[in-house]
Amino acid sequence: MTDPDTLRAALESKAWPYEEARKLLARYPGGKPGGVPVLFETGYGPSGLPHIGTFNEVLRTTMVRRAYETLTGAPTRLIAFSDDMDGLRKVPDNVPNQAMLGAYLGHPLTRVPDPFEKYESFAHHNNAMLRAFLDRFGFEYEFASSTDYYTSGRFDDALRAVLRHYDAIMGVMLPTLRAERQATYSPVLPISPKSGVVLQVPVEVVDAEAGIVRFTDDGDVIEQSILSGGAKLQWKVDWAMRWVALGVDYEMAGKDLIDSVIQSGKITRVLGARPPEGFNYEMFLDEKGEKISKSKGNGLSLEQWLTYGSDESLAFYIYREPKKAKALHMGVIPRAVDDYWQFRAAYADQPVEQRLGNPVHHIHNGPPPADALPVTFGLLLNLVGVMGAGATPAQVWGYLANYVPDASPEAYPALTTLIDRALAYNRDYVAPTLKRRAPTAEEAQGLADLDAALAARSAADAEAIQNDVYEIGKARFGKERLRDWFKALYETLLGSSQGPRMGSFIALYGIAGTRALISEALASAAEGSPAAPQ
C-alpha cells in the first residue's frame, strides 16, 4: 500500500512514468472491470539478435507498470510478445551461415534453422536470448510466442472477426498504400501449403466463420483455413488483432511506428475494441547518427554495455528523456555510470516530490541501496589509463588506499564491479588512444612548479593540491588561459585531451606517482625541445 504522502506526490509528479500511468487511471477511473489485471505489452521481432532497443521497451514499460501500481495498488500483467511467425525478410548482417538462411527467405522465423546451430529455429534462438537478458534484470513478464498463439487456436476468434470485417479493414489500409501495393495488399498472409512461405498475395473471404479464404499459390487456386496456424496477419492488422484478442491496455512504440499505431488503432475500433494507451519514444542512434538495427548490428549490444558499464547505468541511460533521440555508443557509458551515482547520492536528502522524479527511484522501484561510491568512474578510468593496459584490480585497490582510507572490496562491493569495468574499458577503448605529448617550454615551467609544490607536501590532500594547481596556472598562464593549463596537464601527464579534477587525481595516484609522471614529461620536453624548463 502506497503511503499518503507518496501517493499525493505521485498523482502530481511530472516524471514521465507517472504521467503515463495517469493515462491508465483515466482509462479505468474505477479500476479495470471485474478486477482483471491491467495488461501491458511489449513486442519483439526476432528477425535479428536482440539489442538495447529491445531491452529499452521492456524496461520503460515496466517503469510505467510500477508507477500505475503505486497509484492504484491494482493488479497488472506484462506480456513480452515475440512476432516469431513473421516471414524472414532479409538475412541479418551479424549472424553466421548466411547462405543457409538465404534459402529460407519468406519462411516463418520459427521454421528457419538456427544459424548458430543451438536451438530448434532462428526464432527460438533469438527468443532465448531475449528471455535471458530480461531474466538477468529480474523483469516480471510472461513470454508469448506468435507461433504458439496462432497454431494453438488462441487467436482463432479474433481471426474470424478480421474476416467478418475484412472490407472495413481494407478501407482503413488501402488509402495508406501506394497504387501498386494496393493491387496486391491483403490483411491476411496465408502460409503456402506448397512451399511453407508466408505469402503476400490477395485473398478472398469464402467463409468468415469457418475461417476459409481463397488465394492463388504458384498458379494454383487454393482454399484454406486461416485458423490454427494456416495464416498470419499483415503487421498493422496483426498488432490490432493482438490488442483485441489479449485485451492490451498499454503499449509504447518507437517514433518510427507512429503511423502503425494510428492505423492499428483504427482497425482495433473496427473490431469493436478500444486501442491501448501508450506513447511514442525517440530512437537510439549509433555513433554516425543512424538508427540502430537488429539486422545491421550497429549500436551497442547489451553484452557490450554490461562489459564496460554497470546494470544500473544502462537503466539510467534508458530512463532519461525518452522523447529525445540519443546516441548509443561506447563513449556514453562512463558519463552514464557517474550520472547514475550522482542521482543516487542525492536521493536520501530529497523531499518525496523530488525523489519521485529522480531516475533511481524508477530504476530500483523505490529507494536505492544506501551504499555510496567514494570515487567517480571517470576518475577510475583516468587512474587505470595512467597505470596502463596491464593494470590489475589489486593494483587499483592499492592506489585507492591513497584516497579512500578504508578502501577494500568488502567495504565497497559496488566499486569492485566498477574497477573491473574500468579495466576492461581502458584495455579495449582507452589505452589504444592514449598518447602523452611533450610539454612546451611554458608548460614545462608550470610542471616544474607543480613538482616543487608536491615535493613540499607530506600528505596528498586533494583540496590543497587542487589549490596548488590553480595558483600555478594563474601565475604561469593567467586566469584567462587556465583552460590551456589544465588541458596541458591532461595531455602531458594522462595522454588525453580531457581529464579529472587534478587535485583528486593526484591524491588518488599519489604524490610520488604523480611526480614520476611529471619527471617523464619534463624529460620528454628536454629531448624534444631546446627550451628546457626553468
Side-chain angles (χ1 to χ4, degrees), residues 190-227:
I191 307 298
S192 169
K194 297 181 177 183
S195 64
V197 167
V198 181
L199 297 174
Q200 301 262 358
V201 295
V203 306
E204 177 187 350
V205 178
V206 176
D207 186 334
E209 297 310 313
I212 305 298
V213 299
R214 184 182 296 121
F215 57 93
T216 300
D217 181 9
D218 194 25
D220 294 332
V221 176
I222 306 290
E223 287 192 4
Q224 178 173 299
S225 171
I226 72 169
L227 306 180

mmCIF file of all heavy atoms in Angstrom, residues 190-227:
data_model
loop_
_atom_site.group_PDB
_atom_site.id
_atom_site.type_symbol
_atom_site.label_atom_id
_atom_site.label_comp_id
_atom_site.label_asym_id
_atom_site.label_seq_id
_atom_site.Cartn_x
_atom_site.Cartn_y
_atom_site.Cartn_z
ATOM 1 N N PRO A 190 -1.551 -15.943 -46.029
ATOM 2 C CA PRO A 190 -1.640 -17.403 -45.897
ATOM 3 C C PRO A 190 -0.253 -18.042 -45.874
ATOM 4 O O PRO A 190 0.694 -17.538 -46.485
ATOM 5 C CB PRO A 190 -2.410 -17.831 -47.155
ATOM 6 C CG PRO A 190 -2.949 -16.573 -47.757
ATOM 7 C CD PRO A 190 -2.053 -15.465 -47.318
ATOM 8 N N ILE A 191 -0.152 -19.168 -45.178
ATOM 9 C CA ILE A 191 1.069 -19.965 -45.233
ATOM 10 C C ILE A 191 0.911 -20.933 -46.404
ATOM 11 O O ILE A 191 -0.039 -21.722 -46.457
ATOM 12 C CB ILE A 191 1.298 -20.759 -43.937
ATOM 13 C CG1 ILE A 191 1.248 -19.834 -42.716
ATOM 14 C CG2 ILE A 191 2.627 -21.506 -44.001
ATOM 15 C CD1 ILE A 191 2.295 -18.764 -42.684
ATOM 16 N N SER A 192 1.817 -20.869 -47.354
ATOM 17 C CA SER A 192 1.712 -21.705 -48.551
ATOM 18 C C SER A 192 1.750 -23.188 -48.193
ATOM 19 O O SER A 192 2.689 -23.641 -47.520
ATOM 20 C CB SER A 192 2.855 -21.397 -49.521
ATOM 21 O OG SER A 192 2.913 -22.367 -50.542
ATOM 22 N N PRO A 193 0.754 -23.970 -48.646
ATOM 23 C CA PRO A 193 0.803 -25.410 -48.405
ATOM 24 C C PRO A 193 1.874 -26.099 -49.244
ATOM 25 O O PRO A 193 2.238 -27.238 -48.974
ATOM 26 C CB PRO A 193 -0.597 -25.881 -48.812
ATOM 27 C CG PRO A 193 -1.055 -24.879 -49.818
ATOM 28 C CD PRO A 193 -0.456 -23.568 -49.392
ATOM 29 N N LYS A 194 2.390 -25.409 -50.248
ATOM 30 C CA LYS A 194 3.425 -25.980 -51.115
ATOM 31 C C LYS A 194 4.833 -25.714 -50.593
ATOM 32 O O LYS A 194 5.640 -26.632 -50.416
ATOM 33 C CB LYS A 194 3.309 -25.388 -52.528
ATOM 34 C CG LYS A 194 2.012 -25.702 -53.257
ATOM 35 C CD LYS A 194 2.065 -25.062 -54.638
ATOM 36 C CE LYS A 194 0.837 -25.400 -55.464
ATOM 37 N NZ LYS A 194 0.923 -24.828 -56.830
ATOM 38 N N SER A 195 5.117 -24.434 -50.342
ATOM 39 C CA SER A 195 6.492 -24.040 -50.010
ATOM 40 C C SER A 195 6.714 -23.748 -48.532
ATOM 41 O O SER A 195 7.846 -23.703 -48.070
ATOM 42 C CB SER A 195 6.881 -22.802 -50.817
ATOM 43 O OG SER A 195 6.057 -21.685 -50.433
ATOM 44 N N GLY A 196 5.622 -23.506 -47.790
ATOM 45 C CA GLY A 196 5.752 -23.121 -46.393
ATOM 46 C C GLY A 196 6.060 -21.644 -46.196
ATOM 47 O O GLY A 196 6.269 -21.190 -45.072
ATOM 48 N N VAL A 197 6.078 -20.870 -47.308
ATOM 49 C CA VAL A 197 6.389 -19.437 -47.240
ATOM 50 C C VAL A 197 5.158 -18.652 -46.797
ATOM 51 O O VAL A 197 4.016 -19.026 -47.094
ATOM 52 C CB VAL A 197 6.870 -18.948 -48.628
ATOM 53 C CG1 VAL A 197 6.899 -17.427 -48.706
ATOM 54 C CG2 VAL A 197 8.247 -19.526 -48.936
ATOM 55 N N VAL A 198 5.378 -17.555 -46.069
ATOM 56 C CA VAL A 198 4.309 -16.617 -45.726
ATOM 57 C C VAL A 198 4.022 -15.796 -46.984
ATOM 58 O O VAL A 198 4.846 -14.981 -47.404
ATOM 59 C CB VAL A 198 4.721 -15.703 -44.558
ATOM 60 C CG1 VAL A 198 3.582 -14.743 -44.213
ATOM 61 C CG2 VAL A 198 5.111 -16.517 -43.335
ATOM 62 N N LEU A 199 2.860 -16.030 -47.595
ATOM 63 C CA LEU A 199 2.552 -15.444 -48.897
ATOM 64 C C LEU A 199 2.030 -14.016 -48.778
ATOM 65 O O LEU A 199 1.233 -13.706 -47.886
ATOM 66 C CB LEU A 199 1.507 -16.294 -49.626
ATOM 67 C CG LEU A 199 1.929 -17.725 -49.963
ATOM 68 C CD1 LEU A 199 0.737 -18.474 -50.558
ATOM 69 C CD2 LEU A 199 3.103 -17.727 -50.940
ATOM 70 N N GLN A 200 2.477 -13.164 -49.695
ATOM 71 C CA GLN A 200 1.965 -11.799 -49.806
ATOM 72 C C GLN A 200 1.110 -11.755 -51.073
ATOM 73 O O GLN A 200 1.538 -11.274 -52.120
ATOM 74 C CB GLN A 200 3.128 -10.810 -49.908
ATOM 75 C CG GLN A 200 4.072 -10.833 -48.733
ATOM 76 C CD GLN A 200 3.783 -9.725 -47.733
ATOM 77 O OE1 GLN A 200 2.888 -8.903 -47.935
ATOM 78 N NE2 GLN A 200 4.529 -9.699 -46.654
ATOM 79 N N VAL A 201 -0.102 -12.280 -50.984
ATOM 80 C CA VAL A 201 -0.982 -12.375 -52.154
ATOM 81 C C VAL A 201 -2.383 -11.902 -51.772
ATOM 82 O O VAL A 201 -2.774 -11.991 -50.602
ATOM 83 C CB VAL A 201 -1.053 -13.826 -52.684
ATOM 84 C CG1 VAL A 201 0.306 -14.281 -53.215
ATOM 85 C CG2 VAL A 201 -1.559 -14.785 -51.604
ATOM 86 N N PRO A 202 -3.174 -11.415 -52.752
ATOM 87 C CA PRO A 202 -4.568 -11.062 -52.457
ATOM 88 C C PRO A 202 -5.350 -12.305 -52.036
ATOM 89 O O PRO A 202 -5.085 -13.413 -52.527
ATOM 90 C CB PRO A 202 -5.084 -10.514 -53.783
ATOM 91 C CG PRO A 202 -3.878 -10.173 -54.578
ATOM 92 C CD PRO A 202 -2.822 -11.130 -54.152
ATOM 93 N N VAL A 203 -6.290 -12.132 -51.126
ATOM 94 C CA VAL A 203 -7.145 -13.246 -50.712
ATOM 95 C C VAL A 203 -8.608 -12.832 -50.824
ATOM 96 O O VAL A 203 -8.954 -11.644 -50.773
ATOM 97 C CB VAL A 203 -6.847 -13.718 -49.272
ATOM 98 C CG1 VAL A 203 -5.382 -14.058 -49.097
ATOM 99 C CG2 VAL A 203 -7.296 -12.688 -48.254
ATOM 100 N N GLU A 204 -9.446 -13.818 -50.942
ATOM 101 C CA GLU A 204 -10.895 -13.618 -50.988
ATOM 102 C C GLU A 204 -11.502 -14.389 -49.826
ATOM 103 O O GLU A 204 -11.188 -15.564 -49.614
ATOM 104 C CB GLU A 204 -11.449 -14.131 -52.313
ATOM 105 C CG GLU A 204 -12.955 -14.041 -52.427
ATOM 106 C CD GLU A 204 -13.465 -14.721 -53.703
ATOM 107 O OE1 GLU A 204 -12.632 -15.069 -54.562
ATOM 108 O OE2 GLU A 204 -14.691 -14.909 -53.810
ATOM 109 N N VAL A 205 -12.369 -13.733 -49.060
ATOM 110 C CA VAL A 205 -13.021 -14.404 -47.943
ATOM 111 C C VAL A 205 -14.115 -15.315 -48.490
ATOM 112 O O VAL A 205 -15.032 -14.860 -49.183
ATOM 113 C CB VAL A 205 -13.612 -13.383 -46.952
ATOM 114 C CG1 VAL A 205 -14.322 -14.106 -45.816
ATOM 115 C CG2 VAL A 205 -12.522 -12.470 -46.399
ATOM 116 N N VAL A 206 -14.019 -16.579 -48.168
ATOM 117 C CA VAL A 206 -15.019 -17.565 -48.593
ATOM 118 C C VAL A 206 -16.037 -17.802 -47.493
ATOM 119 O O VAL A 206 -17.256 -17.767 -47.732
ATOM 120 C CB VAL A 206 -14.332 -18.892 -48.985
ATOM 121 C CG1 VAL A 206 -15.373 -19.963 -49.337
ATOM 122 C CG2 VAL A 206 -13.367 -18.683 -50.143
ATOM 123 N N ASP A 207 -15.574 -18.022 -46.277
ATOM 124 C CA ASP A 207 -16.467 -18.303 -45.145
ATOM 125 C C ASP A 207 -15.792 -17.768 -43.887
ATOM 126 O O ASP A 207 -14.850 -18.385 -43.366
ATOM 127 C CB ASP A 207 -16.724 -19.798 -45.033
ATOM 128 C CG ASP A 207 -17.757 -20.154 -43.961
ATOM 129 O OD1 ASP A 207 -17.909 -19.372 -43.004
ATOM 130 O OD2 ASP A 207 -18.362 -21.228 -44.062
ATOM 131 N N ALA A 208 -16.261 -16.620 -43.418
ATOM 132 C CA ALA A 208 -15.609 -15.978 -42.274
ATOM 133 C C ALA A 208 -15.679 -16.839 -41.028
ATOM 134 O O ALA A 208 -14.702 -16.954 -40.282
ATOM 135 C CB ALA A 208 -16.241 -14.611 -42.019
ATOM 136 N N GLU A 209 -16.830 -17.467 -40.769
ATOM 137 C CA GLU A 209 -16.975 -18.233 -39.533
ATOM 138 C C GLU A 209 -16.112 -19.487 -39.543
ATOM 139 O O GLU A 209 -15.602 -19.911 -38.509
ATOM 140 C CB GLU A 209 -18.445 -18.594 -39.312
ATOM 141 C CG GLU A 209 -19.345 -17.381 -39.129
ATOM 142 C CD GLU A 209 -18.803 -16.396 -38.096
ATOM 143 O OE1 GLU A 209 -18.404 -16.828 -37.007
ATOM 144 O OE2 GLU A 209 -18.772 -15.189 -38.399
ATOM 145 N N ALA A 210 -15.933 -20.066 -40.721
ATOM 146 C CA ALA A 210 -15.071 -21.243 -40.829
ATOM 147 C C ALA A 210 -13.615 -20.858 -41.016
ATOM 148 O O ALA A 210 -12.728 -21.714 -40.978
ATOM 149 C CB ALA A 210 -15.530 -22.132 -41.981
ATOM 150 N N GLY A 211 -13.376 -19.565 -41.267
ATOM 151 C CA GLY A 211 -12.005 -19.090 -41.451
ATOM 152 C C GLY A 211 -11.436 -19.414 -42.815
ATOM 153 O O GLY A 211 -10.202 -19.404 -42.979
ATOM 154 N N ILE A 212 -12.277 -19.667 -43.818
ATOM 155 C CA ILE A 212 -11.805 -20.097 -45.127
ATOM 156 C C ILE A 212 -11.573 -18.900 -46.045
ATOM 157 O O ILE A 212 -12.432 -18.014 -46.155
ATOM 158 C CB ILE A 212 -12.809 -21.058 -45.802
ATOM 159 C CG1 ILE A 212 -13.104 -22.249 -44.893
ATOM 160 C CG2 ILE A 212 -12.264 -21.535 -47.151
ATOM 161 C CD1 ILE A 212 -11.901 -23.114 -44.583
ATOM 162 N N VAL A 213 -10.407 -18.870 -46.690
ATOM 163 C CA VAL A 213 -10.097 -17.854 -47.703
ATOM 164 C C VAL A 213 -9.635 -18.561 -48.979
ATOM 165 O O VAL A 213 -9.246 -19.735 -48.961
ATOM 166 C CB VAL A 213 -9.011 -16.865 -47.213
ATOM 167 C CG1 VAL A 213 -9.464 -16.110 -45.984
ATOM 168 C CG2 VAL A 213 -7.695 -17.601 -46.945
ATOM 169 N N ARG A 214 -9.675 -17.817 -50.084
ATOM 170 C CA ARG A 214 -9.224 -18.335 -51.373
ATOM 171 C C ARG A 214 -8.081 -17.450 -51.881
ATOM 172 O O ARG A 214 -8.143 -16.226 -51.784
ATOM 173 C CB ARG A 214 -10.379 -18.337 -52.366
ATOM 174 C CG ARG A 214 -10.039 -18.947 -53.744
ATOM 175 C CD ARG A 214 -11.237 -18.853 -54.692
ATOM 176 N NE ARG A 214 -12.362 -19.649 -54.204
ATOM 177 C CZ ARG A 214 -13.564 -19.158 -53.934
ATOM 178 N NH1 ARG A 214 -13.785 -17.854 -54.081
ATOM 179 N NH2 ARG A 214 -14.539 -19.940 -53.518
ATOM 180 N N PHE A 215 -7.039 -18.065 -52.445
ATOM 181 C CA PHE A 215 -5.899 -17.311 -52.965
ATOM 182 C C PHE A 215 -5.190 -18.148 -54.010
ATOM 183 O O PHE A 215 -5.444 -19.365 -54.140
ATOM 184 C CB PHE A 215 -4.930 -16.930 -51.836
ATOM 185 C CG PHE A 215 -4.415 -18.110 -51.056
ATOM 186 C CD1 PHE A 215 -3.221 -18.733 -51.397
ATOM 187 C CD2 PHE A 215 -5.125 -18.617 -49.967
ATOM 188 C CE1 PHE A 215 -2.739 -19.818 -50.678
ATOM 189 C CE2 PHE A 215 -4.657 -19.713 -49.246
ATOM 190 C CZ PHE A 215 -3.462 -20.314 -49.602
ATOM 191 N N THR A 216 -4.318 -17.529 -54.742
ATOM 192 C CA THR A 216 -3.542 -18.222 -55.760
ATOM 193 C C THR A 216 -2.125 -18.425 -55.258
ATOM 194 O O THR A 216 -1.467 -17.484 -54.806
ATOM 195 C CB THR A 216 -3.515 -17.424 -57.073
ATOM 196 O OG1 THR A 216 -4.853 -17.267 -57.545
ATOM 197 C CG2 THR A 216 -2.696 -18.150 -58.127
ATOM 198 N N ASP A 217 -1.664 -19.681 -55.352
ATOM 199 C CA ASP A 217 -0.327 -20.036 -54.872
ATOM 200 C C ASP A 217 0.409 -20.728 -56.020
ATOM 201 O O ASP A 217 0.079 -21.870 -56.371
ATOM 202 C CB ASP A 217 -0.442 -20.960 -53.659
ATOM 203 C CG ASP A 217 0.905 -21.370 -53.084
ATOM 204 O OD1 ASP A 217 1.922 -20.810 -53.526
ATOM 205 O OD2 ASP A 217 0.939 -22.249 -52.204
ATOM 206 N N ASP A 218 1.373 -20.017 -56.600
ATOM 207 C CA ASP A 218 2.175 -20.582 -57.687
ATOM 208 C C ASP A 218 1.291 -21.132 -58.810
ATOM 209 O O ASP A 218 1.498 -22.234 -59.321
ATOM 210 C CB ASP A 218 3.086 -21.689 -57.146
ATOM 211 C CG ASP A 218 4.185 -22.083 -58.134
ATOM 212 O OD1 ASP A 218 4.548 -21.242 -58.975
ATOM 213 O OD2 ASP A 218 4.654 -23.237 -58.060
ATOM 214 N N GLY A 219 0.277 -20.348 -59.171
ATOM 215 C CA GLY A 219 -0.604 -20.704 -60.286
ATOM 216 C C GLY A 219 -1.807 -21.521 -59.909
ATOM 217 O O GLY A 219 -2.738 -21.664 -60.725
ATOM 218 N N ASP A 220 -1.856 -22.106 -58.721
ATOM 219 C CA ASP A 220 -2.995 -22.919 -58.299
ATOM 220 C C ASP A 220 -3.909 -22.119 -57.374
ATOM 221 O O ASP A 220 -3.433 -21.377 -56.492
ATOM 222 C CB ASP A 220 -2.519 -24.172 -57.555
ATOM 223 C CG ASP A 220 -1.752 -25.124 -58.461
ATOM 224 O OD1 ASP A 220 -2.030 -25.120 -59.676
ATOM 225 O OD2 ASP A 220 -0.875 -25.844 -57.949
ATOM 226 N N VAL A 221 -5.213 -22.279 -57.566
ATOM 227 C CA VAL A 221 -6.183 -21.645 -56.678
ATOM 228 C C VAL A 221 -6.369 -22.537 -55.462
ATOM 229 O O VAL A 221 -6.704 -23.723 -55.591
ATOM 230 C CB VAL A 221 -7.526 -21.404 -57.397
ATOM 231 C CG1 VAL A 221 -8.548 -20.824 -56.420
ATOM 232 C CG2 VAL A 221 -7.329 -20.466 -58.581
ATOM 233 N N ILE A 222 -6.149 -21.964 -54.277
ATOM 234 C CA ILE A 222 -6.185 -22.718 -53.021
ATOM 235 C C ILE A 222 -7.290 -22.157 -52.134
ATOM 236 O O ILE A 222 -7.446 -20.944 -52.006
ATOM 237 C CB ILE A 222 -4.842 -22.614 -52.273
ATOM 238 C CG1 ILE A 222 -3.681 -23.035 -53.169
ATOM 239 C CG2 ILE A 222 -4.878 -23.407 -50.976
ATOM 240 C CD1 ILE A 222 -3.618 -24.495 -53.480
ATOM 241 N N GLU A 223 -8.062 -23.021 -51.535
ATOM 242 C CA GLU A 223 -8.960 -22.632 -50.453
ATOM 243 C C GLU A 223 -8.406 -23.234 -49.164
ATOM 244 O O GLU A 223 -8.132 -24.443 -49.114
ATOM 245 C CB GLU A 223 -10.387 -23.117 -50.712
ATOM 246 C CG GLU A 223 -11.097 -22.322 -51.801
ATOM 247 C CD GLU A 223 -12.589 -22.603 -51.858
ATOM 248 O OE1 GLU A 223 -13.081 -23.372 -50.995
ATOM 249 O OE2 GLU A 223 -13.260 -22.051 -52.750
ATOM 250 N N GLN A 224 -8.235 -22.388 -48.165
ATOM 251 C CA GLN A 224 -7.535 -22.832 -46.962
ATOM 252 C C GLN A 224 -8.033 -22.067 -45.743
ATOM 253 O O GLN A 224 -8.352 -20.878 -45.828
ATOM 254 C CB GLN A 224 -6.031 -22.598 -47.153
ATOM 255 C CG GLN A 224 -5.139 -22.965 -45.971
ATOM 256 C CD GLN A 224 -3.681 -22.843 -46.330
ATOM 257 O OE1 GLN A 224 -3.188 -23.526 -47.243
ATOM 258 N NE2 GLN A 224 -2.951 -21.958 -45.653
ATOM 259 N N SER A 225 -8.073 -22.731 -44.617
ATOM 260 C CA SER A 225 -8.444 -22.068 -43.367
ATOM 261 C C SER A 225 -7.263 -21.231 -42.869
ATOM 262 O O SER A 225 -6.112 -21.675 -42.936
ATOM 263 C CB SER A 225 -8.833 -23.092 -42.302
ATOM 264 O OG SER A 225 -8.993 -22.459 -41.040
ATOM 265 N N ILE A 226 -7.568 -20.064 -42.350
ATOM 266 C CA ILE A 226 -6.513 -19.243 -41.748
ATOM 267 C C ILE A 226 -6.387 -19.524 -40.258
ATOM 268 O O ILE A 226 -5.541 -18.950 -39.583
ATOM 269 C CB ILE A 226 -6.760 -17.739 -41.976
ATOM 270 C CG1 ILE A 226 -7.942 -17.237 -41.117
ATOM 271 C CG2 ILE A 226 -6.974 -17.440 -43.453
ATOM 272 C CD1 ILE A 226 -8.068 -15.727 -41.085
ATOM 273 N N LEU A 227 -7.245 -20.401 -39.731
ATOM 274 C CA LEU A 227 -7.250 -20.676 -38.304
ATOM 275 C C LEU A 227 -6.132 -21.652 -37.931
ATOM 276 O O LEU A 227 -5.619 -22.393 -38.769
ATOM 277 C CB LEU A 227 -8.599 -21.251 -37.878
ATOM 278 C CG LEU A 227 -9.839 -20.413 -38.250
ATOM 279 C CD1 LEU A 227 -11.103 -21.104 -37.759
ATOM 280 C CD2 LEU A 227 -9.739 -18.997 -37.695
#
